[in-house]
Amino acid sequence: MVSMKDISETCGVSIATVSKALNGRTDISTSTKERVLEVAKKMGYVPNSSARALKTNRTYNIGVLFADEARSGLTHSYFSPVLDSFRQGVEEKGYDITFLGRHVGKSELSYSEHSKYRGADGVIVACVDFEAEEVKELLQSGIPVVTIDYIFNDKACVMSDNIRGMEQLVSYIIQCGHKKIAYIHGADSFVTRSRIGSFLRTMKRYGIETEDRYIREGIYHAPDVSAKITHELLSLEDRPTCIVYPDDFSCIGGINVIRSKGLTIPNDISVAGYDGQRIARVIEPKITTYRQNTEQIGRVAATKLVELIEQPELALVERLDVQGELI
């Protein structure tokens, strides 16, 4: 394994100079730094993570707590791109990620214990039951934490602006002439409550009374559930003229039912999704939707968590809202 001593001997400079060059220090000449980096690359030098950890008192490992009830794992249409952009963001800053679970081998650990076992410098928490005691234990453990789409006491969080997103979507639907608008929302959560509140407030602002029978609880990313509810809405004597779905994937379940009844979109009834997934742009007809900026959400979360780890005395514990766009 190539060491800094090997590089120093090849370049004819001190080990200290090699260290400065590899760590991007500015108190050596540019030509010397470029020479050292070039030699290090040719010799196949790889920094020793253990040595770096001893020097900085950090492991450069970040825990990811992600445990959605639907068990979609990394195929989750919303959180998958969020976590991928988060991964890219922290890797660019020199960190690796480890997914936190409840088991290590045959041993059962709490999320807090697992993060300590892996020596995580910080943790990002997304798509979990934030009311679960083991999640609360982790959030209160003192480790730097950033949550996604959930506000928890004095923890930094990154939010997709669901209030503004739903407001823009519903306003557009109303401006298209609709007043009988049904909303199939996801299961109860902070995000769901934000969207429902924004939906009702926007309807009221336009002077439109919302009928209770048009507001139905579904499940995120469950087209079969949305299909069943769509069938019920279409069976009403005074059915809605537009149905808003919890996400684009669920919207497809509704579209299938609408078509099975011989109805056309948008001539007989209109639909709208949420999330702005790729499928919304390739299906025919294309789905009116609100695209959440998943790449930006992940990047902002990565930047904030690294700030909390490396500059705890300067980093603000704040809520960061990320805007999307109406499509």
Side-chain angles (χ1 to χ4, degrees):
M1 188 174 185
V2 179
S3 66
M4 286 195 288
K5 182 180 179 182
D6 298 327
I7 299 172
S8 70
E9 291 176 351
T10 301
C11 294
V13 298
S14 68
I15 295 177
T17 298
V18 172
S19 178
K20 290 179 180 181
L22 294 175
N23 287 287
R25 294 276 293 276
T26 58
D27 52 346
I28 60 174
S29 69
T30 301
S31 59
T32 298
K33 182 189 297 185
E34 291 177 349
R35 167 66 175 156
V36 170
L37 294 176
E38 181 183 359
V39 170
K41 184 177 181 180
K42 287 183 178 179
M43 296 179 70
Y45 172 76
V46 177
N48 187 299
S49 60
S50 298
R52 183 172 66 158
L54 287 172
K55 183 177 180 181
T56 62
N57 199 30
R58 290 197 292 269
T59 63
Y60 291 90
N61 183 33
I62 287 176
V64 176
L65 178 53
F66 172 77
D68 68 305
E69 293 182 356
R71 299 181 180 275
S72 56
L74 292 181
T75 64
H76 197 290
S77 54
Y78 170 66
F79 281 105
S80 178
V82 169
L83 293 177
D84 188 55
S85 63
F86 174 81
R87 175 190 60 79
Q88 294 178 40
V90 296
E91 286 181 350
E92 289 170 3
K93 298 177 186 298
Y95 288 79
D96 295 319
I97 64 172
T98 297
F99 281 87
L100 302 178
R102 297 298 306 279
H103 297 88
V104 176
K106 296 182 179 180
S107 301
E108 183 171 335
L109 303 176
S110 68
Y111 294 133
S112 179
E113 290 171 338
H114 195 176
S115 67
K116 293 175 182 177
Y117 174 79
R118 294 299 183 187
D121 292 324
V123 176
I124 183 173
V125 184
C127 196
V128 298
D129 178 4
F130 283 91
E131 297 302 317
E133 289 303 318
E134 59 266 31
V135 175
K136 291 181 179 179
E137 178 190 8
L138 172 64
L139 294 173
Q140 296 167 348
S141 66
I143 189 172
V145 168
V146 171
T147 61
I148 300 291
D149 283 346
Y150 190 88
I151 299 175
F152 187 91
N153 296 340
D154 297 325
K155 298 300 177 185
C157 67
V158 180
M159 304 285 298
S160 176
D161 195 342
N162 288 285
I163 294 176
R164 179 181 171 85
M166 184 57 71
E167 179 184 7
Q168 289 185 1
L169 182 61
V170 176
S171 294
Y172 175 75
I173 293 169
I174 293 172
Q175 289 163 13
C176 288
H178 295 282
K179 293 184 178 180
K180 295 188 291 184
I181 305 170
Y183 179 29
I184 303 173
H185 58 78
D188 183 51
S189 67
F190 182 84
V191 168
T192 298
R193 291 191 291 273
S194 296
R195 292 186 189 177
I196 292 175
S198 182
F199 177 91
L200 297 174
R201 187 174 65 181
T202 304
M203 294 283 281
K204 184 176 181 180
R205 180 159 58 87
Y206 280 91
I208 301 174
E209 184 177 348
T210 304
E211 296 193 38
D212 291 342
R213 59 181 179 162
Y214 286 170
I215 308 299
R216 301 293 184 91
E217 180 175 348
I219 301 175
Y220 289 110
H221 309 286
D224 54 333
V225 174
S226 287
K228 179 177 180 296
I229 299 173
T230 299
H231 176 77
E232 295 171 356
L233 289 171
L234 295 178
S235 299
L236 294 174
E237 184 175 342
D238 187 22
R239 72 188 186 199
T241 61
C242 180
I243 303 175
V244 180
Y245 291 86
D247 56 85
D248 299 334
F249 194 44
S250 296
C251 184
I252 293 174
I255 289 173
N256 290 337
V257 171
I258 292 169
R259 286 175 171 168
S260 71
K261 291 182 174 295
L263 302 175
T264 61
I265 302 170
N267 296 328
D268 298 312
I269 190 167
S270 292
V271 299
Y274 204 96
D275 285 346
Q277 298 164 17
R278 183 175 180 274
I279 195 169
R281 302 192 296 274
V282 298
I283 193 173
E284 188 60 41
K286 294 180 176 62
I287 300 174
T288 294
T289 184
Y290 183 81
R291 187 182 75 84
Q292 302 192 84
N293 194 338
T294 52
E295 180 179 357
Q296 184 69 3
I297 292 169
R299 288 279 179 174
V300 170
T303 298
K304 173 52 63 177
L305 186 53
V306 172
E307 284 181 359
L308 291 169
I309 293 169
E310 298 185 352
Q311 304 179 65
E313 70 286 352
L314 299 177
L316 297 176
V317 176
E318 58 189 327
R319 167 179 170 171
L320 300 166
D321 290 320
V322 177
Q323 305 293 330
E325 63 175 330
L326 179 68
I327 300 177

